Each structure stands twice: as C-alpha cells, then as structure tokens.
Amino acid sequence: MSMIERGTQVPARWRLLACGLLLMASVSLPARADDGIVDVHGLPQLEGAVQDPSLGKGGGVEYRMPTPEAVTAPAVKKLLSANGWVPYVRPLEEKSTTLNFKKGRQGLSVFLTQALGRPDQSVVHYSYDRIYGNVPFPDGASDIMFDGTRPYLGCIAPGTLDATSDFYASQMAAIGWQKLTPETATRWTTSLEETVPNGFRAFYAHADSEETGFYRQKPVMLTLTRRDDGRTNVDIRVAPFALPGELKADSDLAGLPRPNSTKSARGLGGASSNKREMSAAVMAELPAVLAFYHRELAARGWQEDGSAPLAPGDEVAIKVSTNEETGVLRLGRKYDFTMVSMIAQLKESALAARAKAKKEADEQFMKDAEAMTKQVLAEDAARRKVQAATLSDAPLQAQAGSTTPVPLPETAQEVNFDGPGGRLEFNAASSVKALATFYRSSLKQAGWKEQPSVINQPNMAVLEFAKGGKAISFTVMQMGAKVNVSADGSGLKMAAANPVSKSGPASNDAAGVQAKASGPLEADPDSALPVPKQRSSTSLGTAKLPGVEVPFRRELEASVPAELSDVLAFYRSELTKLGWQEKTEGAVTTADRVQLAFASPQGPAMLKLGRTRGETSIDLVQKNPDAATKADIMPKPGQAKLLLGNMGNQEAVLTINKQTIKVAAGAGGPQSPKGPMLDLPPGKYQYALKIAGRPARNEAIELVAGDAWGLMVGPTGEVLPLQMY
C-alpha cells in the first residue's frame, strides 16, 4: 500500500476508498474475546428453569423458576458454587439481596425477583460484573468481603499464617502483582518498614495491562494476622500512602461539608432545617478526613467545643457549635473507609428567633395580601362599571332565520347550539337586563311559564321556564365587556338538530365593511403574552399571591381590527416561537370561531378567537400547574377547587352544593391566613351568602374541571369571583 505523507491533501475519492478498505479489514478480522467478562448464556441454570425469549436482552440472561425467592436464592448459590464461582459480599452492602460471585478475574451478579403476580414463582437474572482490581481468594475462605473496583478484600483463610503467606506470594505474582521494594516504592513512600503483631505485611503494585484489565491501579497493602483458632485473617486494601493526604470539598449535603473521594453519602434536611444530618464513607485515612473537617468547619464559622462521648464504631467524636447551632462530628473506621457522621441542631434561641422572623414575614405577607385584595376589588368594580357602560340596554329583536328552539337576540354572537344535548350558549353586547327582558317576553309569548328565581342582579340573572313537562334554564352573566348566555334543559333538545355557529348579524360588521389593521400583524415586545401591536383594546390579568413571582394563571383579552384568519396565523407563529405545542384534541376552527388548546413550557393554555363588532376578539389563557401545586390550590383530577375568603369584620355564611360553610372574619387575611377550600365536581352552582345585618345575596358560579376559583367577600358584603387557576 502506498504511503501518504502527513499534511498532504487527499482527494475525496481516495478518502472514500481508504474507509472502504478499513471497513473490509475490520470485518474480516475476528474480535478478540474479553477474558474479563463471563458469557452469562453459558452459565448453568437451575433444574426446571423456563427461559423467556423476551427477557435477558443485551448482556444478561433471565429465567423463571417455579419456586419462591426464599427457595431459589440458596439453590442458585449452591449451583454456582459447585461450578467454581466463589460468593462474596460487597462492603456497605451487607443487606443487599443481590448475590455476587467471583471466578478468577471474572465477576457475576445474580439478582432475584418475585415473578409478576406470582409469589410462588421467582425470576433469576445473571449479568457479568467486570473486576478492575483482581486479587486472589484463598481456597475455602469464609466471610469474604470484596470490592473489585479498588480493590478491597477481607476474609478468613482456612490455613495457617505461613501457608497463607506462601499462597499470596505465589498467586499475587501469578496475576501480575509485583512486591514493592524500597527502590520500587520511592514514587509513593520512603519507607515500607511496618511490623504487624502476630502477623505479616507486604505491599504490591501492578502495571497497566490491557490483557488483564488493570489500569492506573494504586498499590495495595496485604496484611495477614494469625487467629486463635489457627486460621488467618486476610486484609487487602489500597496502601495508605497511595491515598490522598489532603481532601478537597465536594458539594454540601444538608448544608454540611463533605470531602471528595466518597464511596457513598447521604443527607437529611437543608440549610434552613431545625435539624440536619450528613453521613459519608470516605476513601481516605482518618487523619486526612479529620484535617479536612478542622479546616472546613472553621472556615464556616464552627468552633470545636471539646470531645463528645464515643458511640460504637467511633474513634473521634467532637462537639461543635456556631452562634445558632450545636452539633457533633463523629469519625470511625469500617473496612477501608473512614465513616463520617455529623448532626447539627438549632439552639433554642435560634429557634425562637426564626419563629419570630417567620411570624413577622407571615404578617407582612397577609397585610400585602389584604391590600392587594382591596386593590383588586376596587379595580374590578371600576372595570365592571366601565365595561357595563359599553353594554346596551336597548330592547332586542329576534334574529331572522334562527333554527334554535328558542329565539336568538339580534346581538347574539359566537352561537354554539347542541340539539341532542339540549345546550345553547352565545355572547352578546347587550346588557344582562336587556337579554333577560328579551327572553321573559319572547318565551311568555310562546307559552312558557317563568319559575321564580332569587338571582336577578345587574351583572347576573338566572331564568327558569317550564312548558308541557319540559324545562329550560338560562344563566345570563356579564363577562368583561360582553354578556354570556348559557342555557340547558329538555326544552332545547332537538334529536335531528344541526349545530349552529354564528358570529352575529351582518349589521354588526358595519354594513359588511371589515375594519382592517394596516400592514402585517406584529407582536408587541412589551407584552407578557403575545398580542398584535395593531390591537384596538387589550387587558392582561394574572392570578398570584403577594410575594410569589410566578402567577398561577395569566389571561390576555384583546380586540384586533383584522381578519380572524390573520390573527390565527399570527398566534400560531408567535406561540411556536415560544415553544408552545398545539394540540388537536377538541380543536374548533371555523370562519368566525377558533378554540385551540396548547401545551406551553409553563403548563396548559387555551386560545379563543371570535368576531365582535367587525374585529377579531382574543382570549388567551395560560396556566402554571407547578405554581398552583406549591400554593396548594391545584384542583384534584376531574374536579374544580373553590377558595373562600372574607375580608370583612363579620362572619359570612355561604351555602353551596347543599353545604353550609362559615367563613370567619379575616379568613384569607391576617387573622386566618388559609380560608376554607372546597373540591367540587364541574358544573353550575347557585350559592347564597348571608352576613348579619346585611341583605342576603344569591348568585351563581360555573366551575370547569381543572379550574380554581376564589370567592372573596369584601368589607361591604359584596362577593368578588376571581379565577385563580
């Protein structure tokens, strides 16, 4: 093969040819087997094993046994031991149900589980376990504790001290371990002179070897000690001089320091908890760990107050404290780890100071909430007054050509009629009074008899009609700058009815002349939710609590002098840029009405577009379930949540859904931060409110599954419904 000098430009066709030759060469050469990995498919299985082809994909094997785990586990252990596999336990995993085995330089893990739904059966899983630091086990050794990643070995050899010493002298050399001498150990230590009472100690190192799987292996220390029963204790661990002498800080646990080089660690509590705990198993000698805590605790303002009583396993126990906390640091040795435990507890004085600070913060929070509520009430009253002024009290005529069972007023828009279900809904620019008068008059002429209703307010009316065993119920409610009319009942059912959807009479579009925005629709960069710059009106509402930056719900209402199709294209473009994903379920897209659901990064959202007075109306709502859950106002699945508050100085009694709830004065305010809450099925609910010395109020609220509404009783007895989520 011709050689190409480095740096020479190689034509693309020659690069392609070279890759092809390399591919063919790689295919033609057999892959070298990895002697460190056992082929689990060739291992023996228990008699009666049933192998499932769908199990054991990849590097494992699974088979099912007709016996429970308690019977299968010892049988597997006996079977593999007879096949030359030596069982062992890993340090700090004494309670693990996984069975570990070693055979030469190969490792094996066996995991057993109960068969699904069958406590009388079990499933056995074999998987290979690569050993990175292999050391020999004496034949017949017992109580074997082993970890092949460092390595670490603790066991009892059945032979004498001399016989065990001879075994390791030969077997360590056989797998590539070379005994250290003062000359070969100079890179780690200057002395190997260590004596062991009634025992023997030696140090070994292993060169990197791809063939045997060793890589950057630290030198190990072998310690053999004679037992009273004639057997020999064996301990192999990383040589202390090869471990770090100075430890650096890792990330904190429970706000407490921990060193790096930890095998395992856990923490309970946090920096703001009254009590917090941290524990860790550190791969370092005790003096290095103790020096780490001397340094780190002092840097964090802790002082040492002398020794604490030693507990089982402790070698060091130190009392520590700060201005706010007291604690105990405990260090001990287990296997080749330094075990660390630290517990910190707030002092009584700090607990009292925190309680006082929390009380003051809560009081300030509730003062802010009360002020915000009063402001919202005042703004809502002013907004309603302005919006009501745009609604017409003029007498209404019925639309010509309507196919609904009851007449539609001439100002009806966004009509949605479900004949089989007996439901009708539309919006109108007429007042509640004008619409109620229209239906009382028109239905009376058609022979319907009105049933008395206590709800007849300027912003809401409920009408009940009956005729020939059939009934119709109307709810007429002011919703911002429009009035929503919803009706249902047997008198509206039409088995063969076709859905009706209208935007309103042609006269609403100024004799058919559409007011249009000048130029393409552009997004307003200063708006929290997307809205065209060319809008003729807009309002943005948020639902959140004082001190909470993230709102539970945001709603934008606007009107744009543009075609509905143009506004729809605008929102599909702008919302996609924000990462919103449009859903197809329940989508409605007609010439004069759009309703689309979205999944936004913050939560579910809904876009509604319609036609009003020659313009396209916009209603965009976005919810944040995480914020609602943290604030404990998230409705249960399939239900709605109703939050009750009372900013007045008298008890209010609310009756809804056959439940009577007493809302104490100040509930939802400084005196009682959390008012009553109800979880209700979705639907329309009438409620009655009674306050001593004030006229009773009877109103209604419609709840949708997944929504959370607040009913806040104002200082003068008025009720403000606020959608919170």
Side-chain angles (χ1 to χ4, degrees):
M1 179 182 293
S2 62
M3 301 298 292
I4 301 176
E5 295 182 5
R6 180 174 298 179
T8 304
Q9 294 293 324
V10 182
R13 61 180 180 275
W14 289 109
R15 292 201 299 270
L16 182 61
L17 176 61
C19 291
L21 293 174
L22 179 61
L23 178 61
M24 289 186 290
S26 65
V27 171
S28 62
L29 293 176
R32 184 178 65 84
D34 189 340
D35 296 333
I37 296 179
V38 60
D39 179 9
V40 294
H41 296 82
L43 293 176
Q45 299 181 7
L46 292 172
E47 185 177 351
V50 177
Q51 194 153 351
D52 188 341
S54 65
L55 302 176
K57 299 292 184 182
V61 166
E62 283 189 2
Y63 61 87
R64 191 182 306 271
M65 287 296 300
T67 52
E69 289 182 63
V71 175
T72 305
V76 170
K77 190 173 182 179
K78 181 178 180 180
L79 174 70
L80 292 173
S81 297
N83 194 244
W85 290 92
V86 181
Y88 68 87
V89 177
R90 288 194 176 96
L92 305 181
E93 297 181 16
E94 295 88 342
K95 296 182 179 180
S96 173
T97 58
T98 300
L99 303 178
N100 304 296
F101 298 87
K102 178 178 177 294
K103 188 176 185 180
R105 56 179 291 231
Q106 295 179 338
L108 173 67
S109 292
V110 180
F111 182 67
L112 291 90
T113 59
Q114 175 187 304
L116 187 62
R118 295 294 302 270
D120 59 327
Q121 296 185 8
S122 53
V123 176
V124 182
H125 178 88
Y126 292 164
S127 62
Y128 70 82
D129 182 20
R130 183 185 288 276
I131 295 175
Y132 294 93
N134 185 28
V135 293
F137 292 1
D139 292 338
S142 61
D143 301 325
I144 301 175
M145 192 71 62
F146 175 66
D147 189 329
T149 59
R150 299 195 284 281
Y152 171 82
L153 172 64
C155 67
I156 301 175
T160 64
L161 177 66
D162 291 340
T164 306
S165 176
D166 292 342
F167 168 82
Y168 274 101
S170 63
Q171 294 303 309
M172 290 289 277
I175 58 178
W177 289 98
Q178 299 297 318
K179 193 172 182 180
L180 285 176
T181 64
E183 293 75 24
T184 59
T186 54
R187 60 174 293 194
W188 295 291
T189 184
T190 57
S191 175
L192 296 176
E193 298 297 327
E194 292 194 27
T195 59
V196 178
N198 201 29
F200 164 81
R201 175 166 290 166
F203 297 89
Y204 291 86
H206 200 298
D208 288 352
S209 170
E210 181 180 351
E211 181 179 351
T212 57
F214 282 86
Y215 179 67
R216 293 187 178 180
Q217 175 62 59
K218 293 183 174 67
V220 297
M221 178 176 70
L222 167 67
T223 304
L224 305 177
T225 54
R226 184 181 292 108
R227 293 169 53 91
D228 293 340
D229 59 7
R231 296 183 296 170
T232 304
N233 289 324
V234 178
D235 183 282
I236 299 177
R237 64 182 63 194
V238 174
F241 54 73
L243 294 172
E246 181 176 349
L247 300 175
K248 296 182 180 179
D250 205 334
S251 57
D252 286 1
L253 284 176
L256 298 171
R258 67 160 170 167
N260 58 359
S261 301
T262 56
K263 176 70 174 181
S264 63
R266 62 188 288 269
L268 295 174
S272 60
S273 302
N274 295 342
K275 183 179 180 180
R276 47 205 179 115
E277 303 178 26
M278 186 279 299
S279 60
V282 186
M283 279 294 302
E285 294 293 288
L286 192 146
V289 178
L290 181 60
F292 167 84
Y293 277 100
H294 282 322
R295 183 186 77 236
E296 288 297 319
L297 292 177
R300 297 169 186 234
W302 290 83
Q303 64 181 21
E304 298 182 17
D305 302 324
S307 298
L310 295 175
D314 287 352
E315 293 187 28
V316 174
I318 304 172
K319 295 178 181 178
V320 294
S321 65
T322 65
N323 293 334
E324 291 190 340
E325 293 179 285
T326 59
V328 176
L329 170 68
R330 299 182 182 276
L331 304 179
R333 294 290 292 174
K334 187 173 184 179
Y335 306 122
D336 55 342
F337 298 115
T338 295
M339 307 301 293
V340 180
S341 170
M342 184 172 177
I343 300 176
Q345 177 79 47
L346 275 180
K347 296 178 180 177
E348 291 296 328
S349 58
L351 284 170
R354 284 195 181 184
K356 180 181 178 183
K358 183 178 184 304
K359 180 181 178 183
E360 292 174 350
D362 289 345
E363 289 176 350
Q364 185 60 49
F365 173 86
M366 297 316 302
K367 288 179 181 178
D368 293 343
E370 183 178 14
M372 186 195 75
T373 302
K374 291 180 178 179
Q375 180 184 355
V376 170
L377 287 169
E379 291 176 352
D380 183 70
R383 178 175 58 83
R384 289 192 183 198
K385 185 176 180 180
V386 172
Q387 291 172 341
T390 65
L391 300 174
S392 174
D393 285 333
L396 294 168
Q397 300 296 321
Q399 285 187 16
S402 173
T403 60
T404 55
V406 294
L408 293 175
E410 56 189 330
T411 56
Q413 299 184 18
E414 303 171 68
V415 179
N416 191 350
F417 174 55
D418 176 10
R423 289 183 292 273
L424 170 66
E425 184 175 4
F426 62 86
N427 294 322
S430 298
S431 66
V432 171
K433 177 182 177 182
L435 290 163
T437 301
F438 170 79
Y439 276 110
R440 286 190 174 107
S441 174
S442 59
L443 291 186
K444 182 178 180 181
Q445 293 176 15
W448 290 86
K449 183 178 179 180
E450 183 178 2
Q451 306 295 317
S453 172
V454 295
I455 301 177
N456 190 20
Q457 305 294 333
N459 64 341
M460 182 176 178
V462 174
L463 310 176
E464 304 284 350
F465 296 94
K467 174 185 174 182
K470 295 185 177 182
I472 305 176
S473 175
F474 289 85
T475 298
V476 186
M477 183 184 299
Q478 182 183 337
M479 305 287 286
K482 59 187 177 182
V483 172
N484 176 262
V485 179
S486 61
D488 61 74
S490 57
L492 292 175
K493 289 188 176 182
M494 295 175 62
N498 293 320
V500 175
S501 179
K502 297 183 179 181
S503 63
S507 60
N508 287 340
D509 271 358
V513 178
Q514 160 75 39
K516 296 184 179 180
S518 58
L521 296 178
E522 299 179 25
D524 184 346
D526 298 324
S527 177
L529 289 174
V531 65
K533 288 182 179 179
Q534 297 92 326
R535 62 190 181 274
S536 58
S537 65
T538 185
S539 67
L540 178 66
T542 58
K544 64 180 181 179
L545 295 177
V548 179
E549 294 298 326
V550 181
F552 317 131
R553 182 180 185 274
R554 295 191 296 181
E555 181 173 10
L556 179 139
E557 292 184 346
S559 185
V560 180
E563 295 283 357
L564 185 144
S565 58
D566 293 338
V567 178
L568 176 59
F570 166 84
Y571 274 101
R572 278 179 164 155
S573 172
E574 293 300 320
L575 296 179
T576 300
K577 293 177 184 177
L578 297 176
W580 293 33
Q581 295 181 349
E582 183 178 332
K583 296 184 175 181
T584 57
E585 307 92 74
V588 176
T589 306
T590 66
D592 52 13
R593 178 170 174 260
V594 168
Q595 179 172 307
L596 297 176
F598 288 85
S600 78
Q602 289 74 35
M606 179 70 71
L607 171 68
K608 294 182 181 179
L609 304 179
R611 299 293 299 156
T612 303
R613 297 181 180 179
E615 295 189 346
T616 297
S617 61
I618 302 166
D619 187 358
L620 180 61
V621 176
Q622 181 189 38
K623 295 181 177 181
N624 189 324
D626 290 341
T629 300
K630 290 178 182 178
D632 196 25
I633 70 164
M634 189 69 179
K636 294 180 179 178
Q639 292 192 311
K641 187 177 286 290
L642 192 62
L643 296 78
L644 307 178
N646 182 4
M647 302 308 295
N649 54 12
Q650 297 184 74
E651 180 183 76
V653 180
L654 183 80
T655 301
I656 184 171
N657 195 35
K658 299 181 181 181
Q659 301 181 66
T660 299
I661 303 101
K662 294 182 179 180
V663 188
Q671 293 83 2
S672 178
K674 194 172 184 180
M677 291 190 290
L678 295 176
D679 290 297
L680 297 171
K684 188 191 307 180
Y685 293 92
Q686 296 186 14
Y687 62 88
L689 178 72
K690 294 181 180 179
I691 301 176
R694 296 186 182 275
R697 291 178 177 268
N698 296 277
E699 300 189 26
I701 187 170
E702 187 167 0
L703 302 177
V704 177
D707 285 354
W709 281 79
L711 286 181
M712 181 63 69
V713 181
T716 59
E718 73 279 9
V719 181
L720 174 65
L722 296 170
Q723 186 165 4
M724 303 298 293
Y725 178 77

